[in-house]
Amino acid sequence: MTLDPLFGRASAGRSGLLLYQLPTLAALALALVTLPLSGALSDTTMVVSGVLVVVAISVAAVVLPWKTYDDRLAVLIPIVSLVGLGLVRYGTGGVGSPYSATLFVPFVWIALAAGRGNAILAALTLVATSQGPALLLTDFRQSADVVRVLFSPVVYGLVALVINEIARRLRLQLDDARATVAQRDSLLVDAVRASQEARSNETRANAVSRQLSGLWDAVTEQAIIGTDLTGRIDSWNPGACKMLGVAQHEALEAGLVITDVHVADELREQVATVGDATPLDDEAAFAVLVRDVATGSADVREWTYVRPDGSQLPVQVAATQRIGDDDDVVGYLFVATDMTKAREFERLKDEFVGMISHELRTPLSSILGYLELLRDEEDGPLTPEQTQYLDVAERNAQRLLRLVGDLLFTAQVEAGRFPIINQSTELESVLRAAAQTFEPVAAAASVQMRVVMDETVSTVVRGDATRLGQAVDNLLSNAVKFSPAGGLVTLSLVVHDQRATITVRDTGIGIPDAELDQLSTRFFRASTATSASVPGIGLGLAITKAIVVAHRGRLDVTSEVGIGTAFTVDLPTVDE
């Protein structure tokens, strides 16, 4: 009797069948106990029918003489249980039922049974019980419905095949283990037994080694470079050979360090953001590469690799720790993906945005010009209603023109044509102008605005006053826009060690931690902003970051949902 879904005939008999039916009964009992709390009951008849079906087949599992039947008939127990649980599911909300997960208990039983046919049977039964009525009502003229109908059976089938394959391998391993035990017990000489075990372990180790070696050699599209704790390269896969044009033996025998494949100027810029390291040394450069990885977290950043011939390659590098046998960090692993095609796609996209924006600016300017002519018409004065219509049209045209300007600006940034007037700029005057601009906006929104800075000193930076003012305006605009009535927006300036820090802090809705890294991505909007229906298109912070970076600065953000957000702009100062 193949009644045991995993271990063959070991548990044949009524008690064995009941044992495997107990999880289904437990899931059903838990659903019935929590049903009054969930409020999901929609069809009492369906639920009662499902319970009766499960109870009936459970009783049959104990009462009927299964040993006298064909081995394959035992699979009827989970199939019928699946039908019963499907009825319970449809009686508690159907697709939205909180008890849909109960279907997977008998589903796993069926999938665990020996034979590929049981995996397919498990998938088909789950599809029939979970989507049967819905399939009958589906309009197959809709592409989404066709995809759903085709997608679910395939996914369930794959899951069932995976479970079935795992069970098959476990059976094989169990058979091997039993054979090994039988063979070991039959041995009379301990020395012979130890020798056989040693040979078996050696074979397995070699197999694992061959598998790992095969996997390592199969990765040809990503460069995988391993280093020790000092950055010296000790692993170099075929993908690295292909990407960087250096053979494995050449990379290892030359004693290369990971910083040798990076552009020196790029590393020097990163080192400068965390401390002064001139001239650039390997230790400081390597510390920048593993700065975040050293704390145990993964780090994914974009860098530029350089080949021996001097050609450069944009890559996205995922850096992780390498853990040894004693759970100690023994080095680092750098997995690099070629970003050349992605960069080209971004370039073409930016060119398209820039072209469309440029083409929109001319007709918008013409529209605004004609609107101005209508407003200044002396022969036939406009009525108050016509003036109101004209104001609406002009306001929306101006808004669209500003949007087009932002799109053109971001396209210029991505294309490396960032217009900056590099001159001595007093930050205090930039901040005062920005505050004066937004004081009436804040007052209209019932938001208090406070400026904190030392008016007796003058902080000078090299840069473009207009662009810096635009960056501060964007931060203040967001702070006021996302603060509720009665909130507080604080604009402050602190100077220390030839660094000026501008902070815009609000008491608004905040931003989830998981979304902070995406804020400077074009067209990205935080989930808190979209859920609160705050208008915007997600260009302001992208523009702000571009301006700050162009001034050799850094833009940081801290936030807590429901408490508020603080943006800091860190800029280098100069002596007057």
Side-chain angles (χ1 to χ4, degrees):
M1 297 290 293
T2 54
L3 301 178
D4 187 329
L6 184 56
F7 301 112
R9 306 169 65 95
S11 299
R14 299 175 181 176
S15 59
L17 287 176
L18 181 61
L19 178 64
Y20 300 121
Q21 183 66 359
L22 284 179
T24 300
L25 293 174
L28 178 61
L30 182 61
L32 294 177
V33 170
T34 59
L35 187 57
L37 300 176
S38 66
L41 183 61
S42 60
D43 191 334
T44 304
T45 303
M46 279 281 192
V47 173
V48 172
S49 299
V51 171
L52 291 177
V53 169
V54 175
V55 171
I57 194 62
S58 301
V59 172
V62 178
V63 174
L64 294 180
W66 293 94
K67 284 186 177 182
T68 62
Y69 301 150
D70 189 279
D71 293 348
R72 293 170 292 183
L73 291 180
V75 79
L76 290 175
I77 298 173
I79 290 177
V80 175
S81 298
L82 195 56
V83 173
L85 292 177
L87 294 175
V88 173
R89 175 177 176 268
Y90 278 106
T92 55
V95 176
S97 173
Y99 305 112
S100 297
T102 59
L103 299 178
F104 285 87
V105 178
F107 167 77
V108 171
W109 181 352
I110 303 171
L112 282 173
R116 302 291 190 199
N118 284 318
I120 299 173
L121 179 61
L124 294 177
T125 307
L126 183 58
V127 170
T129 54
S130 63
Q131 298 192 29
L135 293 177
L136 297 176
L137 300 175
T138 296
D139 182 4
F140 288 95
R141 292 173 295 177
Q142 301 294 326
S143 298
D145 291 330
V146 174
V147 170
R148 177 172 59 82
V149 170
L150 296 177
F151 185 76
S152 296
V154 172
V155 171
Y156 294 152
L158 291 175
V159 172
L161 286 173
V162 169
I163 295 173
N164 191 269
E165 176 64 17
I166 293 173
R168 186 187 69 83
R169 294 189 179 188
L170 287 175
R171 291 188 186 93
L172 291 176
Q173 291 178 5
L174 183 59
D175 291 339
D176 291 340
R178 287 171 177 164
T180 301
V181 170
Q183 182 181 15
R184 185 196 60 188
D185 292 342
S186 67
L187 295 177
L188 300 176
V189 181
D190 293 340
V192 175
R193 180 181 60 187
S195 175
Q196 290 178 342
E197 289 179 352
R199 286 196 298 269
S200 177
N201 290 335
E202 182 181 1
T203 300
R204 292 173 183 172
N206 290 336
V208 172
S209 178
R210 287 193 297 271
Q211 289 178 351
L212 291 177
S213 178
L215 289 174
W216 180 264
D217 293 338
V219 180
T220 59
E221 297 305 316
Q222 281 79 34
I224 304 178
I225 303 174
T227 72
D228 60 16
L229 291 173
T230 65
R232 185 169 297 278
I233 296 173
D234 55 22
S235 301
W236 187 272
N237 83 318
C241 300
K242 177 181 177 181
M243 184 178 294
L244 295 171
V246 178
Q248 183 182 41
H249 70 277
E250 294 176 350
L252 300 182
E253 293 174 1
L256 296 178
V257 294
I258 188 64
T259 53
D260 291 336
V261 303
H262 282 262
V263 173
D265 290 340
E266 195 172 61
L267 290 173
R268 185 176 290 107
E269 291 178 2
Q270 291 297 318
V271 170
T273 62
V274 296
D276 188 12
T278 305
L280 182 69
D281 58 76
D282 290 341
E283 184 178 353
F286 181 66
V288 168
L289 291 178
V290 298
R291 180 179 56 198
D292 296 328
V293 185
T295 61
S297 60
D299 178 42
V300 180
R301 281 187 282 175
E302 291 192 0
W303 295 95
T304 303
Y305 276 178
V306 58
R307 299 186 178 97
D309 61 3
S311 60
Q312 296 182 357
L313 181 72
V315 292
Q316 184 181 70
V317 181
T320 56
Q321 293 180 341
R322 294 168 65 186
I323 307 299
D325 295 335
D326 299 330
D327 292 333
D328 294 329
V329 179
V330 297
Y332 301 94
L333 201 64
F334 301 87
V335 181
T337 303
D338 188 352
M339 298 296 290
T340 303
K341 292 183 179 179
R343 292 282 181 87
E344 178 64 16
F345 174 77
E346 288 292 329
R347 185 188 66 81
L348 293 174
K349 183 178 68 173
D350 292 334
E351 287 183 358
F352 175 76
V353 171
M355 179 185 66
I356 294 300
S357 302
H358 185 272
E359 293 299 323
L360 287 173
R361 173 172 281 187
T362 300
L364 279 173
S365 299
S366 177
I367 290 171
L368 287 170
Y370 279 106
L371 290 175
E372 186 65 27
L373 289 175
L374 286 175
R375 189 185 297 278
D376 296 337
E377 181 63 42
E378 297 180 356
D379 295 339
L382 299 176
T383 65
E385 186 177 11
Q386 291 172 330
T387 302
Q388 181 182 3
Y389 294 157
L390 193 62
D391 289 341
V392 172
E394 188 173 20
R395 184 166 59 251
N396 283 280
Q398 289 285 3
R399 179 183 177 186
L400 188 56
L401 189 61
R402 286 193 298 271
L403 175 59
V404 170
D406 288 343
L407 289 171
L408 277 174
F409 182 81
T410 56
Q412 289 174 332
V413 170
E414 294 295 332
R417 300 190 301 271
F418 192 179
I420 286 289
I421 300 175
N422 196 13
Q423 60 186 9
S424 295
T425 301
E426 184 190 22
L427 281 182
E428 283 81 5
S429 61
V430 172
L431 267 59
R432 280 193 295 269
Q436 291 173 359
T437 300
F438 279 91
E439 280 176 353
V441 179
S446 300
V447 174
Q448 182 183 356
M449 190 165 176
R450 183 169 62 189
V451 179
V452 180
M453 60 182 176
D454 190 351
E455 299 285 355
T456 63
V457 299
S458 177
T459 306
V460 179
V461 299
R462 292 292 296 176
D464 191 321
T466 301
R467 293 302 184 190
L468 289 173
Q470 182 182 7
V472 177
D473 286 350
N474 287 339
L475 295 179
L476 287 175
S477 174
N478 283 343
V480 173
K481 184 165 55 175
F482 293 110
S483 293
L488 173 65
V489 173
T490 304
L491 173 63
S492 62
L493 172 64
V494 177
V495 181
H496 181 68
D497 290 340
Q498 295 186 324
R499 304 291 297 187
T501 302
I502 304 169
T503 303
V504 177
R505 187 183 305 275
D506 64 57
T507 57
I509 58 180
I511 305 164
D513 290 340
E515 300 177 4
L516 292 179
D517 292 339
Q518 305 177 64
L519 289 179
S520 57
T521 304
R522 287 181 301 169
F523 306 111
F524 175 80
R525 303 197 68 221
S527 58
T528 47
T530 54
S531 61
S533 299
V534 179
I537 60 171
L539 283 178
L541 289 177
I543 292 174
T544 299
K545 182 175 181 179
I547 293 172
V548 172
V549 172
H551 286 80
R552 296 179 295 114
R554 187 176 69 249
L555 177 66
D556 296 316
V557 56
T558 58
S559 184
E560 186 174 350
V561 176
I563 302 299
T565 303
F567 283 92
T568 58
V569 177
D570 184 74
L571 298 170
T573 62
V574 297
D575 296 331
E576 294 186 74

